[in-house]
Amino acid sequence: QVQLAEAGGGLVQAGGSLRLSCVSTRHTAGTPFMAWFRQAPGKEREFVATISWTGGIESTADFAKGRFAISRDNAQNTIYLYMDILKPEDTAIYYCAAGRGGESRTNYDYWGQGIQVTVSS
């Protein structure tokens, strides 16, 4: 089993920045990738970014390019999502996930409980 715990959410003004973190209890052969997704009220959960524990492979959704950056600290079993130039439309619950990679939710078998990010205008 893999357990994930997010931290770092909160309320920020538009134009501001936040850094989310996600600690994983372990890596497994079936979870070589970690990812961030988000879900806004009334919307589907959508892909934000993914990164591999090895090899540095990463991918970011188009809406996040230039504003969000995903990174990892293997020694701490932690990934981060740095979000800059935040917009009110970035308001959502952000979820950390572990799995096989890619942009599909179905590729990820383990999920954190989610953390609220609210961007005020």
Side-chain angles (χ1 to χ4, degrees), residues 1-115:
Q1 276 283 17
V2 176
Q3 293 181 319
L4 306 173
E6 301 100 337
L11 173 65
V12 63
Q13 287 189 329
S17 61
L18 275 177
R19 189 182 75 163
L20 305 182
S21 63
C22 173
V23 179
S24 173
T25 54
R26 60 191 293 248
H27 303 173
T28 72
T31 59
F33 283 82
M34 296 286 290
W36 290 98
F37 286 77
R38 70 181 187 181
Q39 188 166 16
K43 294 189 176 182
E44 296 279 323
R45 191 171 299 187
E46 64 177 348
F47 169 77
V48 177
T50 187
I51 191 167
S52 64
W53 284 116
T54 62
I57 300 169
E58 60 184 81
S59 176
T60 306
D62 286 344
F63 71 80
K65 289 178 180 176
R67 299 192 300 126
F68 294 6
I70 189 170
S71 62
R72 72 186 194 281
D73 182 338
N74 289 40
Q76 300 295 324
N77 278 3
T78 301
I79 66 165
Y80 302 94
L81 182 68
Y82 180 74
M83 305 183 289
D84 197 13
I85 318 175
L86 283 162
K87 305 174 183 179
E89 50 264 45
D90 294 318
T91 295
I93 298 174
Y94 283 72
Y95 295 90
C96 175
R100 299 175 297 283
E103 300 185 7
S104 173
R105 290 173 294 173
T106 61
N107 292 346
Y108 296 88
D109 299 315
Y110 301 97
W111 294 83
Q113 293 199 337
I115 192 162

